[in-house]
Amino acid sequence: AQKVTQAQTEISVVEKEDVTLDCVYETRDTTYYLFWYKQPPSGELVFLIRRNSFDEQNEISGRYSWNFQKSTSSFNFTITASQVVDSAVYFCALSGSNDYKLSFGAGTTVTVRA
Amino acid sequence: ETGVTQSPTHLIKTRGQQVTLRCSSQSGHNTVSWYQQALGQGPQFIFQYYREEENGRGNFPPRFSGLQFPNYSSELNVNALELDDSALYLCASSLRDIRGGAEQFFGPGTRLTVL
C-alpha cells in the first residue's frame, strides 16, 4: 500500500521568505513516481513536478526546487522568495509502476502575507 | 488551464437521491480518473477508466459507478446519496503510460452538497 505523509498542516510566511514543504512516503514498489500539485482557492489541482524513483537528481525551476532522497523516503519542495500568489494548498502524491492511481497526502496550506 | 472540463460546477442534492457528474478529458488523453476530496483533506481515488473499461478502483462502495465514452469523456454516478458524499469531485485525464506514473491533469471539480 502506498502512503504519503505531509506533517505540516499550515505554514504562514511573509512575502520573500523561503518556504519548504516536507513529504515522506511509504511504498513497497521498487519503481514509483512522486508528484507535487498545487491547489489554489479556485480548487483546480495544478501539476508542478513528477519524479521517478530512479532519478534522484534534484531540480530547480524558477523559484521552485525539489529535494528527493530515497534513503529517507522524502520528497521535499521549496519555494524561494515567496509571493502572495503562492498562497495555496500543496499536495504531495505517489503512484506505483503498476498502480495508476495517485495517493495524496493531506496537504499543506501555505499562506504568504504581503 | 488543463483543458479538462467538468459539469456542473456546483450541485445540491438530498439524501437518497442519485447524481451524475460529467468530465471531458484533455485532447489526446485516453484515461480518466475520478477523485473525491472532502473538506480539508487530500483527494481520494475512486476509480479510473481506460478505453471505456474500469481500470482500478479505490475503497468506495458499488453505489459509486462510472462510464467512459468512445471520445474518452466520462461520467461518475452516485446512487443513494449520503451526507458524507458531500465533497469536491475531481476528474483527471492522462495519456496512459505502460511504465506507470503518467501525469494526471485535473479539472476544476464539481462541488456536491448533500442535505
Side-chain angles (χ1 to χ4, degrees):
Chain A
Q2 324 279 15
K3 184 179 179 182
V4 176
T5 302
Q6 296 179 252
Q8 304 150 307
T9 305
E10 295 183 30
I11 298 177
S12 182
V13 297
V14 177
E15 210 170 14
K16 298 184 182 177
E17 288 185 348
D18 296 349
V19 180
T20 295
L21 309 181
D22 298 333
C23 172
V24 175
Y25 62 91
E26 295 177 29
T27 179
R28 293 181 180 177
D29 290 347
T30 54
T31 301
Y32 52 89
Y33 300 85
L34 294 162
F35 302 78
W36 276 97
Y37 281 86
K38 171 183 178 181
Q39 188 174 42
S42 61
E44 186 168 334
L45 280 165
V46 178
F47 167 79
L48 295 177
I49 190 172
R50 178 187 73 168
R51 268 284 176 270
N52 69 51
S53 52
F54 296 106
D55 181 6
E56 287 193 74
Q57 183 176 1
N58 294 317
E59 179 176 336
I60 297 175
S61 176
R63 296 186 298 107
Y64 297 162
S65 61
W66 293 269
N67 186 348
F68 176 30
Q69 293 191 349
K70 284 180 71 172
S71 60
T72 56
S73 297
S74 66
F75 184 47
N76 298 336
F77 169 47
T78 297
I79 305 172
T80 303
S82 61
Q83 300 175 2
V84 173
V85 293
D86 295 326
S87 297
V89 182
Y90 290 82
F91 290 97
C92 181
L94 167 70
S95 72
S97 58
N98 295 313
D99 182 0
Y100 299 100
K101 72 177 184 183
L102 289 171
S103 297
F104 285 86
T108 299
T109 300
V110 173
T111 302
V112 181
R113 307 184 309 275
Chain B
E1 293 188 3
T2 64
V4 180
T5 61
Q6 292 186 243
S7 62
T9 306
H10 296 87
L11 204 52
I12 299 175
K13 292 286 190 178
T14 57
R15 197 169 48 182
Q17 285 188 311
Q18 178 266 343
V19 68
T20 297
L21 310 182
R22 295 177 175 83
C23 171
S24 291
S25 58
Q26 187 176 120
S27 177
H29 286 181
N30 54 17
T31 303
V32 173
S33 305
W34 286 92
Y35 293 81
Q36 180 195 67
Q37 186 179 18
L39 200 60
Q41 299 182 20
Q44 298 294 315
F45 176 74
I46 303 174
F47 43 56
Q48 183 182 88
Y49 278 83
Y50 170 63
R51 291 187 175 178
E52 303 178 55
E53 292 191 1
E54 188 177 289
N55 177 52
R57 186 180 184 92
N59 189 27
F60 282 81
R63 59 188 185 85
F64 285 78
S65 63
L67 284 173
Q68 187 180 32
F69 300 99
N71 66 354
Y72 302 124
S73 65
S74 177
E75 287 182 355
L76 164 65
N77 299 291
V78 187
N79 294 321
L81 283 167
E82 301 177 0
L83 297 179
D84 285 348
D85 295 333
S86 295
L88 180 67
Y89 287 84
L90 294 163
C91 163
S93 79
S94 57
L95 183 60
R96 188 179 179 95
D97 185 336
I98 59 171
R99 299 166 297 178
E103 298 166 17
Q104 296 188 21
F105 295 90
F106 285 80
T110 293
R111 172 73 63 187
L112 173 65
T113 302
V114 182
L115 302 176

